[in-house]
Amino acid sequence: MKFGIFYELQLPRPWEPGGELRLYQNALDQVELADRLGYDYAWEVEHHFLEEYSHSPAPEVFLGAASQRTKYIRLAHGIMQLTTSPPARVAERIAALDLVSRGRVEFGMGESASSTELEPFGRAFEEKRAVWEDAVRAIIPMFRDGGCEYHGPYFDFPLRNVVPKPLQKPHPPLWCACSQLETIEMAGRRGLGALAFQFLSAEAAHAWVHAYYNAFTKRQEKLADYVTNPRAAEAGRGQSVGRIRKVEARQPGKSCPRAVGRADRLARNDPAQAAAVRDLAYRPGHLLEPGRQEHA
């Protein structure tokens, strides 16, 4: 199990002069601290026009700034909207961030969840899944050396060499936003990491992860020629910022000392949270059975 922090950059009213400046600078300070404390991931959303809920339209800018204040923490798009940007611009931004961060990018991809965001960009809510799938097919070849072209139902791209290329080869790890059981099953079927944005009970989370790995192992149909990412992450609520509890597929008998260390560290600050830390093991034939519970 790995831990991270999750940001939407929320700013409730009443708004005060300098409020957005403080919001961004405080979040960057927290990411810098999380890096020193040994957190694994810093996730940042992309949203547009959602007043109060999220003032984060340019996550690559925030993560780029964070890259210069940190050394180890993974810098994760949670997610970048593929429905509101041309595929080539997405590929360029991901690659540039991977270079300035020295290969620490996680590429989360999503559709957007509201017509409020989609309509100003000329996208209909009803077609967002089809647009997202077409964008994935267009983007992946752009990470490879040399030029590429793409001709799909929503995107048409002439032969060009999209530069720069990401440091991580063949591309940063791929994730998909999941807000329903249907979409987490879809992420598994597409061979993408699942980033769940629901606050679930332990039992419901177990069912979601089971559905994900079941689809990943038995019904996989990739959208393009990319490296699969068999991991699931669940968003939880911490005291001041969101928290991502990330569960990785592991072979039987493989220990996870970092998870135990994090449970120890949590116990010093919040025994109730430490008691909730679980080490889940993926074993062939037993899709994500819950393992032992860590007690610090």
Side-chain angles (χ1 to χ4, degrees):
M1 181 176 289
K2 296 185 179 181
F3 287 85
I5 49 179
F6 180 86
Y7 289 94
E8 290 171 319
L9 297 182
Q10 297 177 338
L11 190 64
R13 286 183 171 89
W15 293 340
E16 299 176 353
E20 288 179 318
L21 174 62
R22 288 191 295 273
L23 174 68
Y24 269 77
Q25 295 303 319
N26 286 344
L28 287 170
D29 289 343
Q30 291 170 355
V31 174
E32 184 176 356
L33 176 61
D35 183 58
R36 295 202 305 267
L37 293 175
Y39 280 74
D40 299 289
Y41 293 84
W43 297 85
E44 176 70 9
V45 306
E46 177 184 352
H47 281 303
H48 303 274
F49 323 119
L50 301 185
E51 297 179 355
E52 299 187 82
Y53 179 74
S54 178
H55 291 227
S56 179
E60 73 281 0
V61 175
F62 177 87
L63 294 173
S67 75
Q68 303 307 294
R69 300 173 60 163
T70 59
K71 294 182 178 180
Y72 307 109
I73 197 167
R74 300 286 295 177
L75 302 171
H77 281 278
I79 48 68
M80 181 178 284
Q81 294 182 5
L82 304 191
T83 49
T84 57
S85 292
R89 289 293 294 122
V90 172
E92 291 167 342
R93 288 148 60 191
I94 290 295
L97 179 59
D98 205 43
L99 292 172
V100 300
S101 68
R102 298 181 182 272
R104 289 186 281 145
V105 171
E106 301 279 325
F107 182 19
M109 306 175 288
E111 307 167 4
S112 176
S114 70
S115 57
T116 299
E117 296 184 87
L118 291 166
E119 287 181 357
F121 293 97
R123 294 297 182 196
F125 184 84
E126 295 76 16
E127 66 181 10
K128 67 188 184 77
R129 175 61 58 81
V131 173
W132 176 84
E133 290 182 348
D134 202 41
V136 174
R137 295 187 182 101
I139 291 167
I140 297 303
M142 296 176 180
F143 291 133
R144 303 190 193 111
D145 291 335
C148 69
E149 60 183 306
Y150 181 79
H151 308 286
Y154 295 95
F155 298 104
D156 193 83
F157 187 74
L159 180 60
R160 295 290 188 276
N161 188 13
V162 179
V163 292
K165 303 298 183 183
L167 182 61
Q168 298 177 88
K169 303 298 181 184
H171 51 72
L174 305 177
W175 297 79
C176 174
C178 305
S179 58
Q180 305 174 54
L181 184 60
E182 180 269 334
T183 51
I184 201 167
E185 185 277 335
M186 182 273 292
R189 183 162 41 87
R190 296 309 190 189
L192 304 170
L195 183 56
F197 293 102
Q198 288 282 12
F199 303 112
L200 305 171
S201 67
E203 292 76 14
H206 182 272
W208 277 44
V209 174
H210 182 96
Y212 169 75
Y213 281 111
N214 196 42
F216 190 99
T217 57
K218 296 181 179 180
R219 296 187 298 277
Q220 191 174 119
E221 298 175 1
K222 296 197 298 183
L223 289 168
D225 184 17
Y226 47 75
V227 176
T228 58
N229 181 25
R231 294 181 288 177
E234 177 199 347
R237 189 63 70 189
Q239 294 179 354
S240 59
V241 295
R243 185 178 73 250
I244 291 291
R245 293 181 299 172
K246 185 158 143 198
V247 180
E248 294 197 46
R250 292 192 296 276
Q251 295 301 318
K254 206 170 183 182
S255 64
C256 187
R258 295 185 72 188
V260 178
R262 275 168 178 75
D264 292 340
R265 186 158 62 245
L266 277 172
R268 290 194 291 270
N269 300 315
D270 190 337
Q273 286 193 29
V277 175
R278 292 182 182 274
D279 184 8
L280 299 185
Y282 171 71
R283 295 179 296 174
H286 298 276
L287 294 178
L288 268 196
E289 293 182 353
R292 60 188 173 86
Q293 182 166 336
E294 303 290 353
H295 293 282

